[in-house]
Amino acid sequence: MGATGWTRTRLCRLACTVGLFFFLLLLCFSSLRLPELPNSTCVWGVRPCRWFGGTPPSKEDAERKPPPSASPPSATTGAALLLHTPSEPQDLGEGFRIVRLQRAFAASLTPSRQILIREYLSGWKELIKLMDSLGAAFGLISGETRTKIAILQEQQRGPHGAHYRTLQSMVRFELARGLVGFQSLPAGRPPSGCRTFLRLHRALKWLELFLRKLGTSPEDADPSRMCADAYQEALAPYHSWWVRQAAALAFMAMPSRRGLYRILSAGGGEEEGKGPRRLLDTVRSIAHVYNATQELYAAHGMLALP
């Protein structure tokens, strides 16, 4: 009975992987023929997707994209970006280490509940490494996340960089200047920091929920199901049908629970290999930052920004 169950599990995972491959292959060919796609097909739901090919970007999108120094993802189709995992991501340093993830988010929240954007983005860079470790199919979300980080870093280096040191100062500055864009962002405007940060905030909830489930679930719990449930709760409402289907297939190809703990314990040393306890400490640090952000955005009526 044990051997039969094991065989069925392996066959199921094999079928899922083969199905994912053919889906991405179909997506690649179909994206070359689609003349136009609505804005809702974008993973972040705010502009036409560069990764789907088809219609060239509008003048507004061309003006709003990050400058070349930001190094946004270069893939041109959905399948290409889903299958793309950079071997050495720019400005991300060495491989994922959970201790750096925990320390970055803990450092990003001050005792007065100010959120330091630079430290927050350092935490996100570690999360990108984690997503890249989960498989090439996560390249869609990690690629878009790189773009959001680049936008905020460019604003910090710009002439108004002093206003982008904390989330609170950024919100005050962009509200006073009318830069948030509660309905839409006028053509020619640089990307809104508040709207860009909100996309990262929503994705952070997904990863927080998934890591919490992983750290508190029984040994026989399926990581794919936990990740899918967290996604449905936190991110799926903001994504198009295409992205939801691609995400569902990506979750099926995730590593096993043991494989995930190997990734989370990578980096060496007994100190970093404390398993669920280290993981839950990290989740708490992420949750504190998420809750402070949620309160700030709710206070200014910005949780539903387009």
Side-chain angles (χ1 to χ4, degrees), residues 4-7 44 66 72 119 154 156 158 162 169 209 214 220 228-229 233 236 246 259 280-281 291 297:
T4 303
W6 181 84
T7 303
W44 297 105
E119 286 74 7
E154 189 64 25
Q156 289 187 316
S169 62
L209 289 174
L214 185 64
D220 59 348
D229 289 346
E233 181 177 343
L280 291 178
D281 286 344
N291 292 337
Y297 270 74

Side-chain angles (χ1 to χ4, degrees), residues 117-138:
I117 294 178
R118 185 179 65 179
E119 286 74 7
Y120 180 89
L121 297 181
S122 294
W124 257 111
K125 290 174 186 178
E126 288 301 315
L127 286 173
I128 287 175
K129 296 175 194 176
L130 175 60
M131 284 191 285
D132 287 343
S133 300
L134 297 181
F138 282 81

Side-chain angles (χ1 to χ4, degrees), residues 44-162:
W44 297 105
V46 293
R47 54 174 167 70
C49 283
R50 289 175 288 104
W51 51 270
F52 249 109
T55 306
S58 65
K59 180 179 179 182
E60 176 183 347
D61 292 305
E63 292 172 342
R64 291 173 56 191
K65 67 181 181 181
S69 61
S71 299
S74 58
T76 56
T77 67
L81 186 51
L82 282 167
L83 292 170
H84 173 64
T85 302
S87 57
E88 188 64 35
Q90 181 178 354
D91 196 30
L92 292 184
E94 59 187 39
F96 171 78
R97 293 181 69 179
I98 194 171
V99 68
R100 281 202 302 264
L101 174 62
Q102 191 271 332
R103 288 172 181 170
F105 277 105
S108 69
L109 187 63
T110 71
S112 62
R113 297 181 69 78
Q114 298 280 306
I115 298 171
L116 304 176
I117 294 178
R118 185 179 65 179
E119 286 74 7
Y120 180 89
L121 297 181
S122 294
W124 257 111
K125 290 174 186 178
E126 288 301 315
L127 286 173
I128 287 175
K129 296 175 194 176
L130 175 60
M131 284 191 285
D132 287 343
S133 300
L134 297 181
F138 282 81
L140 171 60
I141 297 178
S142 68
E144 285 289 325
T145 303
R146 283 178 170 85
T147 302
K148 304 306 174 190
I149 291 175
I151 290 172
L152 291 170
Q153 287 180 323
E154 189 64 25
Q155 287 166 326
Q156 289 187 316
R157 291 190 292 263
H160 303 294

Side-chain angles (χ1 to χ4, degrees), residues 220-286:
D220 59 348
D222 180 12
S224 299
R225 171 50 53 191
M226 289 186 282
C227 195
D229 289 346
Y231 174 81
Q232 287 297 323
E233 181 177 343
L235 264 185
Y238 306 103
H239 285 175
S240 68
W241 182 89
W242 284 98
V243 174
R244 292 197 300 270
Q245 305 316 304
L249 289 170
F251 301 149
M252 292 180 183
M254 284 184 61
S256 66
R257 184 186 183 89
R258 180 174 297 179
L260 281 171
Y261 269 105
R262 276 200 299 267
I263 293 170
L264 292 170
S265 300
E270 182 73 19
E271 180 66 20
E272 294 190 34
K274 294 182 178 179
R277 189 174 67 178
R278 169 71 72 182
L279 178 57
L280 291 178
D281 286 344
T282 302
V283 168
R284 279 190 287 272
S285 295
I286 293 174

